[in-house]
Amino acid sequence: MIVNESVTGYLASLAHDIPPALEKLRVKARQEHVPIIRDDMLEFIRFVLLKEKPKTILEIGTAVGFSALFMHSVVPEAQITTVEKVEMRLKEARKNLDGSGITLIEGDALEVLGGLKGPYDFIFLDAAKGQYSSFFSDCRRLLAPGGLILTDNVLLEGTIAESRFGIERRDRTIHERMREFLHELTHTEGLVTVIVPVGDGAALTYKQ
Ligand SMILES: C[S@@+](CC[C@H](N)C(=O)[O-])C[C@H]1O[C@@H](n2cnc3c(N)ncnc32)[C@H](O)[C@@H]1O
């Protein structure tokens, strides 16, 4: 947790309800340890979507479809495409997304993204953290001018601020890759990025 528990708890008390079917899915996903979006991040996305009213949305990392269905509940008129590669998750996602109008692409985003044309007004990047840099050139190409990319989990539970030597050996690669990725996001001409300590850290990037 990046922000202390009492602040997070207080902010949760201000959060909006979600539709009952989504609430059921949230409870089930948590019980089954599916890594779905955190509540404070939901509020953040809700704000951005209501403000931006994207017509097209691409999500990388469906899991069981919770965040895709949440985005659909906020902007039902948007066309949402979501990508997932793990069969165990896909099995649930197919059921949950059935009839929603959301397009589920089954496959590794590393291969799938190259075949997409876009443009997308809003891209939610919420997949393997170590691969964010590899997804990014396609995300940039697929993003409409003026569009937004929201990348989740960029602060790695706060460990992003540690020096390499303060990080467990097994987590060093992901730590190094995330730092490189955040540097790229904040130092690439034509992109404007703000990093905020919401959820597990979110980077919001705007293409000029
Ligand atoms: C944090 S979960 C997504 C949670 C979901 N966005 C939500 O909040 O409901 C990340 C998902 O990304 C998927 N994933 C990781 N790397 C991927 C890749 N290269 N291509 C497609 N899916 C990937 C994982 O299988 C996992 O289900």
Side-chain angles (χ1 to χ4, degrees):
M1 184 162 293
I2 307 172
V3 178
N4 78 46
E5 216 163 311
S6 63
V7 173
T8 307
Y10 169 68
L11 294 181
S13 76
L14 300 176
H16 296 80
D17 288 337
I18 59 174
L22 268 182
E23 184 56 55
K24 232 172 114 182
L25 183 55
R26 172 158 68 180
V27 171
K28 182 170 186 282
R30 292 215 172 118
Q31 279 167 351
E32 293 171 2
H33 306 290
V34 179
I36 59 166
I37 192 172
R38 298 182 193 197
D39 295 351
D40 40 4
M41 188 65 173
L42 273 191
E43 286 295 298
F44 189 74
I45 292 194
R46 185 176 174 279
F47 175 90
V48 173
L49 294 184
L50 288 175
K51 170 71 182 73
E52 291 296 311
K53 298 188 178 50
K55 290 194 175 60
T56 48
I57 296 177
L58 173 66
E59 174 182 66
I60 306 169
T62 316
V64 295
F66 175 73
S67 51
L69 287 164
F70 172 73
M71 293 192 282
H72 179 63
S73 75
V74 178
V75 280
E77 61 287 357
Q79 279 187 331
I80 302 180
T81 302
T82 181
V83 186
E84 174 60 52
K85 72 168 181 180
V86 173
E87 181 52 35
M88 183 176 63
R89 301 289 181 232
L90 282 166
K91 215 169 135 217
E92 285 295 308
R94 284 181 205 118
K95 275 192 278 173
N96 294 332
L97 297 178
D98 187 38
S100 66
I102 295 169
T103 304
L104 173 62
I105 300 182
E106 305 187 7
D108 190 327
L110 288 173
E111 290 155 22
V112 165
L113 295 184
L116 297 180
K117 293 219 162 57
Y120 296 95
D121 301 320
F122 181 74
I123 299 179
F124 181 40
L125 181 48
D126 190 23
K129 297 187 272 273
Q131 294 183 325
Y132 281 177
S133 262
S134 315
F135 298 136
F136 203 70
S137 67
D138 273 317
C139 286
R140 231 182 128 185
R141 173 183 62 81
L142 290 168
L143 190 66
L148 291 171
I149 302 177
L150 179 62
T151 311
D152 199 6
N153 305 114
V154 299
L155 296 181
L156 306 177
E157 301 288 346
T159 60
I160 195 79
E162 302 281 337
S163 88
R164 174 182 167 74
F165 301 104
I167 300 294
E168 298 261 357
R169 194 173 283 272
R170 63 163 196 272
D171 295 328
R172 281 189 189 160
T173 304
I174 206 163
H175 177 262
E176 190 179 331
R177 285 188 184 170
M178 189 60 87
R179 279 190 163 209
E180 282 169 10
F181 175 63
L182 292 181
H183 190 271
E184 184 185 354
L185 277 187
T186 48
H187 291 79
T188 300
E189 202 159 324
L191 298 180
V192 181
T193 294
V194 62
I195 298 169
V196 287
V198 60
D200 183 26
L204 189 61
T205 301
Y206 162 65
K207 180 165 155 181
Q208 287 179 309

